[in-house]
Amino acid sequence: MASMKDIKQRKSSIQSTQQITKAMKLVSTVKLQKARTRAENANPFFQHVYNTVSTILAKSENISHPFLKSGDSDRIAVVVITSNRGLAGGYNSNVVKLITESGLPKDKIDIYAIGGKGRDSLDHKGYTIVSDDSPVMEAPTYDDAKEICDKVLDSFAKGEIGEIYLAYAHFKNTVVNVPTLMKLLPVEVDEEDVQESKVEAPMGFEPTDEEVLDVVIPKYVTSLFYGALIEAVASENGARMQAMDSATSNAEEMISDLSLKYNRARQGAITQELTEIIAGAQAIS
């Protein structure tokens, strides 16, 4: 059995760790409240943008546009959004698994990393990191999303990549986030939407369909990028809050267990001392 000194030192160490996890939980809670409000307020807009583009393409016939078909290259760009810090449970690893378990050929994937944890993990697994915008995760803005979008679309337009995917954690609620792998380009339209649109008048374009899509689709991709960024921030803080809450609870259980062991050891020591005193007194008499 460990000595009282060892138990006391371990208990003190766990109490110090518990203070840290409590503080981190409070910080994450405050950040989550701001990020959740931002994500919930923005979500209707991004959903509307997605539905609008889907409707436009579903109602359009015989459109030939570079963003609507795979490029000549067999390279696949995957924009991966994770955090720059750990201690968030399985948040980062779950996003990384989207890529490693996606079935996409590893040797043909170009990783556009937003977040140091995902970048380091995928680099360690042998994936090709072609871009690193990890500082963006500290305070993502629409301009940041547009800059990243322009970079990826430029590679697509040059024929350097043939498809674009987005991997991030969709924010569902405070305790639940859903790792999501979304194909951005070439834009795909749901077959049901196409069938429904056939009974309606086809979409007309002014001046031309190509000029309209040159403007609409980059804005559509940028909006999805930005929406994913702010949802990822909310998901990260929610995951960290849950992880720190669990760590704090576990520390409390360990402290209670050590307190019980300390009291037993102390009681045993007192009993031993009394036994020795009594035995000594009996020997003298």
Side-chain angles (χ1 to χ4, degrees):
M1 181 182 292
S3 66
M4 287 191 294
K5 181 179 179 181
D6 292 337
I7 295 174
K8 191 173 182 180
Q9 287 178 340
R10 189 179 179 196
K11 180 180 175 181
S12 177
S13 175
I14 294 174
Q15 286 174 329
S16 298
T17 302
Q18 186 185 45
Q19 293 301 315
I20 295 173
T21 59
K22 277 184 178 179
M24 292 184 67
K25 177 188 173 183
L26 291 175
V27 171
S28 296
T29 300
V30 173
K31 289 183 176 181
L32 173 62
Q33 296 304 319
K34 296 179 180 179
R36 180 179 66 181
T37 300
R38 192 179 180 190
E40 290 176 346
N41 289 341
N43 187 63
F45 169 74
F46 298 122
Q47 189 62 45
H48 184 69
V49 170
Y50 177 81
N51 292 337
T52 298
V53 172
S54 297
T55 301
I56 289 175
L57 297 178
K59 290 184 177 181
S60 303
E61 297 180 353
N62 301 321
I63 293 181
S64 177
H65 192 278
F67 290 151
L68 303 182
K69 58 184 179 180
S70 297
D72 295 331
S73 174
D74 60 355
R75 303 296 299 176
I76 301 170
V78 182
V79 181
V80 185
I81 303 177
T82 57
S83 69
N84 288 326
R85 289 176 288 275
L87 299 177
Y91 168 75
N92 292 304
S93 61
N94 288 337
V95 175
V96 170
K97 284 181 182 178
L98 289 174
I99 292 93
T100 59
E101 299 178 1
S102 66
L104 297 174
K106 178 179 178 180
D107 59 336
K108 297 185 182 302
I109 293 178
D110 289 339
I111 298 295
Y112 289 75
I114 308 175
K117 289 298 180 179
R119 175 202 63 210
D120 294 343
S121 180
L122 290 168
D123 182 51
H124 179 72
K125 293 178 184 296
Y127 284 82
T128 303
I129 311 297
V130 299
S131 174
D132 179 19
D133 293 286
S134 297
V136 166
M137 289 308 296
E138 299 304 319
T141 64
Y142 186 84
D143 288 338
D144 292 328
K146 185 178 184 305
E147 182 177 342
I148 297 169
C149 176
D150 289 344
K151 178 166 50 180
V152 180
L153 289 181
D154 183 58
S155 294
F156 187 88
K158 290 179 178 178
E160 297 172 352
I161 53 178
E163 295 180 347
I164 301 175
Y165 287 80
L166 175 64
Y168 71 105
H170 167 64
F171 179 76
K172 189 172 183 180
N173 55 50
T174 302
V175 297
V176 178
N177 63 78
V178 183
T180 304
L181 182 63
M182 176 188 299
K183 187 175 183 178
L184 299 181
L185 291 182
V187 178
E188 295 180 344
V189 182
D190 193 314
E191 186 62 30
E192 292 183 3
D193 293 337
V194 174
Q195 295 300 325
E196 291 177 2
S197 68
K198 286 184 178 179
V199 300
E200 304 175 9
M203 179 71 66
F205 292 92
E206 181 66 35
T208 67
D209 53 11
E210 185 169 343
E211 289 175 301
V212 171
L213 293 178
D214 279 341
V215 175
V216 171
I217 292 183
K219 289 185 179 297
Y220 156 78
V221 176
T222 300
S223 296
L224 293 182
F225 273 14
Y226 181 58
L229 284 171
I230 60 177
E231 286 198 22
V233 172
S235 297
E236 174 193 347
N237 285 293
R240 183 169 291 110
M241 184 188 74
Q242 292 296 312
M244 293 302 99
D245 181 62
S246 296
T248 302
S249 298
N250 291 338
E252 187 63 41
E253 291 179 6
M254 294 178 68
I255 290 170
S256 297
D257 183 59
L258 289 171
S259 295
L260 181 60
K261 289 181 178 179
Y262 180 82
N263 290 334
R264 286 177 177 173
R266 184 169 177 270
Q267 184 179 16
I270 293 173
T271 301
Q272 179 67 27
E273 288 180 5
L274 289 174
T275 301
E276 291 175 354
I277 291 171
I278 294 172
Q282 289 176 344
I284 293 174
S285 61

